[in-house]
Amino acid sequence: MTSFQFKTTNGAYPVNVNINPSSTEHRPNQALIDKASKTTIIFLNALGVPLRKYSKFINGLTEKGFTVISTDYPNCGENTPHIKRGIDYGYDELVNHFVHNLVQIAKDHTPDNDIVLIGHSLGGHLGTIYSAIHNVPVIGIACGSTHYKSWKGRGRIRILLAVAVIQALIRVYGFLPGYKIGLGEREAKTMMQEWCETALTGKFDYITQPLDTDKGHGLYINIEGDKFAPMLSTWKLAQMCSRSKVIQVTLDDDLIGNPHGVWIKRPEIVINAVCDNLDF
């Protein structure tokens, strides 16, 4: 484990980072081992999902031969102090400081490896923005554009209702108590305000670097039946990359729950999709 200080305008906070080395005890095919052993994955969580929930996914990746670098978001999960009024940051700080520090850690720890960002939901948004700026490859899982026009029918209404509720809660609490509405845990005020801005406009004007750079290299894994990130929204997010590929996977029928998040309980299908498309 290593750590760094996440710097915001209001202070600096420690971020503990896990470095999970590759393990090929189960001996998948040799060609995959050769490719995976030369790849370091930086994993970015979904909104409000603590890193411990992804243990099967991370272990599955290391068993394929990848090195995986992972952490909770600043002031979330194992990183304390937790979000409260006065502890705040936005997308720009997450992209340009949080993700960028993880990339530097990957370069320092595995200097000869290729680096790939893998993000679930919000993590896919952050990885896509970083890829559009720095051209680091990104794999987005169950993620998509939050712009309401990227949705159809009731999906548009749900997004707009979510924006109204989030904005009201932020005004009262000074942060988002996501646990009150089933949307994560404690989330930073500015980040969620910017999430709402993108949901209404489709733009990322709060990112300080230009995003129309003709960069970005992405693979997007849509999960059939995912109403939180339907295929249309996935396609819209993928368009932020100059080169992108979108595929769809179907979960086992006996895996009951919202496809958007339940895949982490049995992640083999998603892991196989990652391995089968490493040359995206």
Side-chain angles (χ1 to χ4, degrees):
M1 179 178 288
T2 186
S3 65
F4 65 90
Q5 290 291 307
F6 176 68
K7 298 177 182 178
T8 73
T9 56
N10 298 319
Y13 306 98
V15 174
N16 295 316
V17 181
N18 298 294
I19 301 174
N20 300 89
S22 62
S23 169
T24 54
E25 294 177 3
H26 296 277
R27 306 304 297 176
N29 70 75
Q30 189 62 46
L32 174 59
I33 291 176
D34 291 343
K35 176 69 175 178
S37 65
K38 298 176 183 177
T39 303
T40 297
I41 288 171
I42 297 173
F43 178 66
L44 304 171
N45 308 14
L47 179 71
V49 182
L51 184 64
R52 65 178 183 274
K53 297 283 188 179
Y54 293 98
S55 59
K56 289 183 180 179
F57 182 59
I58 292 172
N59 289 339
L61 290 171
T62 60
E63 287 172 0
K64 297 293 187 182
F66 298 99
T67 296
V68 181
I69 290 176
S70 60
T71 179
D72 284 302
Y73 286 114
N75 309 105
C76 298
E78 295 183 355
N79 293 322
T80 57
H82 287 162
I83 293 289
K84 61 181 180 179
R85 187 185 293 272
I87 294 180
D88 192 30
Y89 51 80
Y91 270 71
D92 196 66
E93 288 161 305
L94 286 174
V95 171
N96 291 311
H97 190 67
F98 175 70
V99 178
H100 198 66
N101 268 277
L102 296 177
V103 171
Q104 190 58 55
I105 288 171
K107 289 180 178 179
D108 292 343
H109 187 75
T110 54
D112 297 324
N113 280 16
D114 296 327
I115 296 173
V116 176
L117 304 171
I118 293 187
H120 175 208
S121 196
L122 172 69
H125 298 170
L126 298 175
T128 298
I129 294 169
Y130 194 88
S131 183
I133 297 169
H134 299 284
N135 215 34
V136 174
V138 59
I139 299 175
I141 303 168
C143 61
S145 168
T146 59
H147 187 205
Y148 78 96
K149 290 186 178 180
S150 300
W151 299 62
K152 295 180 180 180
R154 293 181 180 179
R156 288 191 176 189
I157 297 173
R158 285 195 294 267
I159 286 288
L160 295 174
L161 285 174
V163 168
V165 171
I166 288 169
Q167 290 176 333
L169 287 171
I170 286 173
R171 284 194 293 270
V172 173
Y173 290 91
F175 63 94
L176 176 67
Y179 50 85
K180 289 183 175 291
I181 55 173
L183 185 63
E185 297 179 357
R186 290 170 171 252
E187 312 302 339
K189 172 184 175 180
T190 298
M191 181 183 76
M192 295 312 302
Q193 287 175 328
E194 292 171 345
W195 186 96
C196 291
E197 180 182 333
T198 298
L200 294 174
T201 68
K203 298 179 180 179
F204 294 89
D205 291 341
Y206 41 81
I207 299 297
T208 53
Q209 292 101 324
L211 298 179
D212 54 345
T213 56
D214 199 31
K215 295 181 181 178
H217 181 193
L219 168 70
Y220 293 85
I221 303 174
N222 175 269
I223 299 179
E224 185 178 9
D226 183 359
K227 294 182 179 180
F228 284 16
M231 180 61 84
L232 178 59
S233 73
T234 301
W235 275 107
K236 290 291 186 180
L237 182 64
Q239 289 174 5
M240 289 184 64
C241 295
S242 63
R243 292 185 294 154
S244 63
K245 177 181 179 180
V246 179
I247 64 173
Q248 187 177 73
V249 298
T250 302
L251 303 181
D252 294 334
D253 291 338
D254 62 340
L255 189 56
I256 306 301
N258 184 346
H260 188 72
V262 76
W263 66 269
I264 66 177
K265 293 183 178 180
R266 198 185 300 168
E268 291 80 10
I269 290 174
V270 173
I271 292 172
N272 289 337
V274 170
C275 294
D276 291 344
N277 292 275
L278 275 180
D279 294 324
F280 67 93

